[in-house]
Amino acid sequence: MKDIRNISKEEARESIKKLREEINRHNYLYYVKNKPEISDSQYDKKFRQLQELEKEFPEFDSPVSPTRKVGAPPVDHLEKKEHLAPMLSLNSSEKEEDAEQFFKNVQKSTKETSFGFLLEPKLDGLSVEVVYKNGEFSYATTRGDGQTGEDISENVKTIGSLPLKLLSSSPPELLAIRGEILMSKSGFQEINKKRIEKGEEPFANARNAAAGTVRQLDSKKVADKPLDIFFYELIKTEGRHFDRQEEMLEQFRKWGLKTNNLKKICEKMPEIKKFYRNLKEKRDSLSYEIDGMVIKLNQRGLREKLGSRDRSPRWAFAWKFEPQKEVTRLTDILLQVGRTGMLTPVALLEPVDVGGVTVSRATLHNEEEVKKKDVRPGDKVRIVRAGDVIPEIAERIKETGKKRGNPFKMPGKCPVCETPVVREGAYVVCPAGLSCRAQLKGRLQHFVSRDAMNIMNLGEKIIEQMIEEEMIRSIPDLYRLEPSDLEKLEGFGKKSSEKLYKAIQDSKEPEFERFLYALGIRHVGKHIARLLAKKYRNLEKIAGADKEELAGIREIGPEIAESISHFFDNEDNLKMIKQFEKAGLKIKYKKTQESDLLEGKTFVITGELEGYSREEIKEKIESLGGRATSSVSDNTDYLVVGKNPGSKLEDAKKRKVKRLDEKQFKELISK
Ligand code: IVH
């Protein structure tokens, strides 16, 4: 681009228009389709160019520019706003009989012999109305009492997957739609951890976390939160009509609005029951919370015939999942010292099955939580498990006439190393760092875990012994161990010692992103580690980056930036990195991309190949700018088929995904 100062107004207008269109498209590809076509740094470059141009030419300002997705100045309250049509609720129940009754009622009232239902998950988030005028985002409101909600436009605008402009050259004049804002399960846990660290009250569940976040007054604080939005209903429209729900969702998708892909059209009750069971089985594996299944008439004309009750339509029903709650007895409260030194009270429970999983422990977060719940050894408690979230104690069940145990008290010393503890907000922390055995153990366990250095056969018990026997005092010490040292471990013979020795030595050339994750930097999970490894070519570059620079990376907020910066400012950590080098650790940095031949293309591999191992072909694809994923979806461009292919081949045929044998793949990349 030309120097911004020499650019004419006309040129600026054109460039701004073009950049906005490009960025909107890349946002869509990244957040909605999950299939980016350009690298993050290419994206950041475009974003900055647009920001600069908009600053220089404020006359071309637009409330729907993608630069507005980073938040606006804070407000002092949320304005009330009436909905364009009432936002109804759903009639719901957990009982199969009630679902059957709903089916019969629809059958009776429609008097039709054949009608389809659209089944989809009941998303457990926060319901919102979003209004687009002539294809541009106009405002968003909470559901409120169904008639009037609160204006949360600025906050909703920051959600990555929400388009500020519909992808269409002839959008409807008015489109008011209903969707659900969700926070991912992992995002929810992350946020709660941070809240507790700061001495704030943790959110009870992901839905509350999403609701709390979206009703904030400062939209900049919303911008870095893991929120997502799915659309599922029409509230009001002008200039567009839909006969069937299915068709409407398809149009939503074409406009760039995210819809849920776990849906099915069914006609009869047995199929409906089957889908309900399937959904229930999938529940734990989803990255967001669902709490049931919604059954809706597919034909929108029939819906009008059925109409609504006072607050809920007759054409839809929410068949909820039973809450995953059970009652058991608390036997003791233990203190766990985590890898960051935090002392967390943990409730030991008489084992109980909650929704198919045996629960024998529940986290109590901190002292405040224990006090608030007032649980003591011997108490009867109700346990809840929402999705795959760690089980929690919902409440104590009072028992009359029973003598209770002593109330819980936080100790003044670390239960492991006896160092006097310190208070950090609502937390009590052992300040001894890696000289506390519990912290060293936690850090080591994380270091060797599957997604980190992936050192097999190095379980908790062995790590404990190594520390106990003072075989290791720091993480890099691991690499100094000889087979003869390992033989001293309980249950270890010559063979097993050599095996473990080899596993440790074999981990000496970790991929950059794995090593970054393995370091255990606070707030740096797998995803952030990957982002950092993509952005920075080596460790020195990250260590040298300042907070502002880090916070400028997409998806890295000020808190994460602060934590990374803090880690690399710490002398002990720098010493540890040096020790790793001394011990012979060589980080494998990704080769810089060879070309962009496969840019934007997604590959899946099945069967055995002759010329490549799985890792090698993945590396090859990535070095040419492509992506290699593990399962076939609508986003897959090519399936590379080797000998003895698996079920992916069938998936690819069904979805009409192009298939390449090894020879054809080689031809493709030699172009
Ligand atoms: S349809 C008029 N579909 O469940 C019917 N609702 O009361 C409009 N919900 O607050 C709702 N997933 O926010 C519909 N796939 C889905 C849904 C869904 C979640 C929420 C909705 C509402 C609650 C039921």
Side-chain angles (χ1 to χ4, degrees), residues 84-101:
L84 292 179
M87 280 178 81
L88 300 178
S89 179
L90 286 175
N91 199 9
S92 72
S93 160
E94 290 145 14
K95 295 199 195 99
E96 190 169 302
E97 304 93 87
D98 292 338
E100 276 166 352
Q101 192 57 52

Side-chain angles (χ1 to χ4, degrees), residues 31-255:
Y31 290 106
V32 181
K33 295 215 60 169
N34 224 339
K35 199 187 166 201
E37 284 181 6
I38 56 172
S39 68
D40 288 2
S41 60
Q42 283 169 306
Y43 175 91
D44 292 344
K45 204 165 133 201
K46 287 185 197 294
F47 197 86
R48 275 197 303 273
Q49 272 178 1
L50 177 59
Q51 273 178 323
E52 279 167 26
L53 277 168
E54 286 180 346
K55 202 167 147 206
E56 196 66 26
F57 296 92
E59 58 271 46
F60 301 132
D61 205 13
S62 158
V64 291
S65 168
T67 53
R68 296 291 187 96
K69 290 187 83 72
V70 295
V75 291
D76 54 19
H77 71 284
L78 299 173
E79 297 283 347
K80 289 245 181 312
K81 210 167 180 123
E82 205 165 315
H83 297 304
L84 292 179
M87 280 178 81
L88 300 178
S89 179
L90 286 175
N91 199 9
S92 72
S93 160
E94 290 145 14
K95 295 199 195 99
E96 190 169 302
E97 304 93 87
D98 292 338
E100 276 166 352
Q101 192 57 52
F102 163 75
F103 184 84
K104 281 186 198 139
N105 290 348
V106 174
Q107 211 167 24
K108 218 164 89 191
S109 349
T110 55
K111 298 196 183 71
E112 305 259 339
T113 45
S114 143
F115 45 83
F117 286 108
L118 184 103
L119 312 180
E120 58 191 11
K122 185 171 182 307
L123 305 166
D124 195 8
L126 171 83
S127 190
V128 281
E129 174 182 20
V130 179
V131 177
Y132 288 89
K133 289 186 180 154
N134 297 314
E136 292 191 352
F137 174 92
S138 176
Y139 64 86
T141 51
T142 61
R143 179 166 176 270
D145 61 7
Q147 301 293 331
T148 310
E150 283 173 314
D151 188 332
I152 48 167
S153 303
E154 289 307 331
N155 294 344
V156 171
K157 274 165 93 169
T158 69
I159 299 175
S161 54
L162 181 107
L164 294 180
K165 264 186 134 171
L166 299 181
L167 302 173
S168 164
S169 50
S170 52
E173 274 163 57
L174 175 82
L175 182 74
I177 48 180
R178 180 164 178 172
E180 199 85 359
I181 297 180
L182 296 168
M183 184 177 284
S184 67
K185 291 175 187 170
S186 56
F188 156 67
Q189 286 181 354
E190 230 2 77
I191 280 188
N192 256 2
K193 229 163 70 191
K194 284 186 203 160
R195 283 180 76 87
I196 293 168
E197 270 165 36
K198 283 197 223 145
E200 293 166 2
E201 184 95 350
F203 289 115
N205 50 44
R207 176 175 14 92
N208 288 8
T213 307
V214 138
R215 294 190 63 256
Q216 281 211 33
L217 301 174
D218 185 354
S219 53
K220 289 209 167 72
K221 287 195 180 146
V222 184
D224 64 350
K225 300 292 186 297
L227 295 175
D228 205 350
I229 186 164
F230 287 103
F231 290 100
Y232 48 71
E233 276 300 330
L234 199 59
I235 293 177
K236 192 177 175 190
T237 173
E238 277 164 19
R240 185 72 210 224
H241 171 82
F242 301 103
D243 283 333
R244 284 169 305 121
Q245 183 76 356
E246 200 187 355
E247 172 203 341
M248 181 202 84
L249 290 177
E250 185 53 37
Q251 182 59 62
F252 279 12
R253 213 170 6 256
K254 284 190 187 144
W255 279 329

Side-chain angles (χ1 to χ4, degrees), residues 117 137 141 175 186 281 286 382 394 425 450 457 490 592 602 646:
F117 286 108
F137 174 92
T141 51
L175 182 74
S186 56
E281 265 170 35
L286 298 177
R382 195 184 308 280
R450 214 173 87 175
N457 303 322
E490 217 178 283
T592 31
T602 302

